[in-house]
Amino acid sequence: MLENDNADWGLVHALVLDGQGGARAVARADLVHLQLAEHESLWLHWDRGQVRTHAWLREESGLNAFSCDLLLEENTRPRLVPLPNARFLLFLRGINLNPGAQPEDMVSVRIFAEERRVISLRLRSLRATEDLVARLAAGEGPRNAADLVLYLAERLTERIQAVVDQLTETLDTEEERVDSEDGYAPEHSSLLHLRRRSAGLRRFLAPQRDLFALLARNCPGWFSNEHSHYWNELNNSLTRYLEELELNRERVALLIEAEQRQLSERMNRTMYRFGVVTGIFLPITFITGLLGMNVGGLPGADNSAGFLITCGVTLAVAVGQWLLYRQLRWL
């Protein structure tokens, strides 16, 4: 019932982290007078598409207009914006696992983080936040704001692995069929689709890798040294995914090249056969055309065996050409 009341205000999740891996829900109306214990942190997850979310962010969140404008802007890319007093804005992208969506159409989550408060906004639902709520309900979730931001980044990064693996397996299958099946050529449209998916993922993963590296080097003071190691591991994971996507793009280019080469070979063989047939029939056509002229003095015109003689000469010319082509190894 509490979640339904909060949802009417655009508040998807409102949880107070207890510092032990658990959390308790709070109502939207209680945010104004909410007092946190020393070991507690607050996480507010909002629906960016709700008008009331915009109103709360600008009027009650305590954020300045610059931060609100960035959190609510229509289009953004992965980036890190440091703010005064050891606060920051973090813009991340995650795999779109919503029904009917393309994974490379990555969903955005915008995060404002300070030592004891995290405000996140999304436009479309994210599996990462649902996993986070489930872990908190089980008492196994993040203990503070630093853990929460890191947890969201980790879950967003983990889901990228499945999509990259799927692309790689598809290319493996196509390459095996090209190598094992004579004359097999993958569909051009399918290869282009794979290349577009790889490019769409690389578009957002490259800047996201860079901001993870930045966080590994320059974490705010309320992050621990252990957090820096985790950010560095996320940077390494995205580097590996990007290398795999770059390799996949090169493999797609090789498959397209193989497809074009096979098409060119088939076309050349077809044109070669047409050339041989044309070469055989050209002198025969000349003989029949010459004898078909309606003029006087044609040889064999008054001979009853003229037709048979002409057929024999034509056949002899054809056999002679065939033997010549065989000797020249044109056949």
Side-chain angles (χ1 to χ4, degrees):
M1 189 66 177
L2 180 61
E3 291 186 358
N4 292 335
D5 293 339
N6 287 344
D8 294 336
W9 292 88
L11 183 55
V12 183
H13 301 296
L15 299 172
V16 175
L17 280 61
D18 60 11
Q20 303 296 325
R24 58 182 172 88
V26 295
R28 161 69 176 81
D30 297 334
L31 294 179
V32 178
H33 305 291
L34 181 65
Q35 296 293 327
L36 298 176
E38 184 178 354
H39 60 278
E40 291 181 332
S41 302
L42 177 64
W43 175 41
L44 302 176
H45 187 54
W46 296 86
D47 182 355
R48 187 167 57 87
Q50 295 281 353
V51 176
R52 290 182 173 183
T53 297
H54 294 218
W56 179 88
L57 196 66
R58 293 189 181 278
E59 299 171 7
E60 302 180 42
S61 66
L63 302 183
N64 58 29
F66 171 76
S67 299
C68 294
D69 290 341
L70 292 184
L71 289 171
L72 297 174
E73 66 181 351
E74 189 63 26
N75 296 308
T76 187
R77 63 191 294 274
R79 57 176 172 154
L80 175 68
V81 182
L83 298 174
N85 302 319
R87 302 180 299 172
F88 61 84
L89 299 177
L90 184 62
F91 298 80
L92 300 175
R93 289 276 180 161
I95 295 297
N96 191 349
L97 299 177
N98 294 306
Q102 295 295 328
E104 63 272 16
D105 182 21
M106 304 182 76
V107 294
S108 171
V109 57
R110 292 99 182 274
I111 299 171
F112 164 81
E114 56 186 355
E115 185 173 3
R116 298 179 60 193
R117 183 175 65 155
V118 175
I119 300 172
S120 58
L121 295 91
R122 56 85 166 165
L123 187 61
R124 290 168 288 184
S125 61
L126 277 170
R127 297 280 181 86
T129 57
E130 302 304 322
D131 292 346
L132 174 55
V133 172
R135 292 289 297 272
L136 288 170
E140 301 174 351
R143 295 166 298 173
N144 50 44
D147 285 349
L148 190 146
V149 174
L150 179 60
Y151 185 95
L152 282 174
E154 285 179 336
R155 292 300 173 269
L156 292 173
T157 303
E158 285 177 359
R159 298 187 182 279
I160 298 170
Q161 176 69 62
V163 178
V164 175
D165 288 345
Q166 181 185 15
L167 292 173
T168 302
E169 290 174 3
T170 302
L171 286 171
D172 289 341
T173 301
E174 294 294 340
E175 287 179 340
E176 289 176 1
R177 295 189 64 182
V178 169
D179 293 337
S180 61
E181 300 180 19
D182 293 337
Y184 173 77
E187 293 185 6
H188 192 74
S189 58
S190 299
L191 295 178
L192 292 180
H193 179 64
L194 291 174
R195 186 163 65 179
R196 283 195 300 270
R197 292 186 65 182
S198 297
L201 290 172
R202 291 183 73 257
R203 175 189 176 190
F204 294 112
L205 295 187
Q208 193 151 303
R209 174 197 58 185
D210 296 338
L211 68 86
F212 286 164
L214 183 61
L215 281 169
R217 296 191 303 267
N218 302 301
C219 279
W222 44 277
F223 280 80
S224 66
N225 291 332
E226 184 179 358
H227 289 122
S228 298
H229 298 322
Y230 280 111
W231 286 116
N232 189 53
E233 285 304 310
L234 290 178
N235 170 49
N236 291 333
S237 296
L238 281 186
T239 299
R240 179 164 53 86
Y241 299 154
L242 287 167
E243 291 173 348
E244 189 73 23
L245 289 172
E246 182 64 26
L247 177 61
N248 286 345
R249 188 170 67 170
E250 295 179 3
R251 293 170 66 188
V252 168
L254 291 175
L255 285 173
I256 292 177
E257 182 181 342
E259 176 198 24
Q260 294 174 343
R261 184 171 61 251
Q262 290 181 1
L263 180 61
S264 177
E265 289 176 356
R266 288 198 299 268
M267 181 65 70
N268 289 338
R269 285 196 299 267
T270 301
M271 295 303 297
Y272 180 76
R273 293 189 183 106
F274 275 120
V276 170
V277 171
T278 301
I280 291 176
F281 279 92
L282 183 61
I284 297 175
T285 303
F286 173 76
I287 293 173
T288 56
L290 184 64
L291 295 178
M293 293 187 299
N294 191 18
V295 296
L298 290 175
D302 298 327
N303 190 338
S304 59
F307 176 75
L308 294 177
I309 295 172
T310 302
C311 290
V313 171
T314 303
L315 180 61
V317 171
V319 171
Q321 286 185 290
W322 181 79
L323 293 174
L324 177 62
Y325 289 174
R326 291 276 296 186
Q327 185 177 2
L328 296 175
R329 296 188 179 183
W330 291 0
L331 292 175

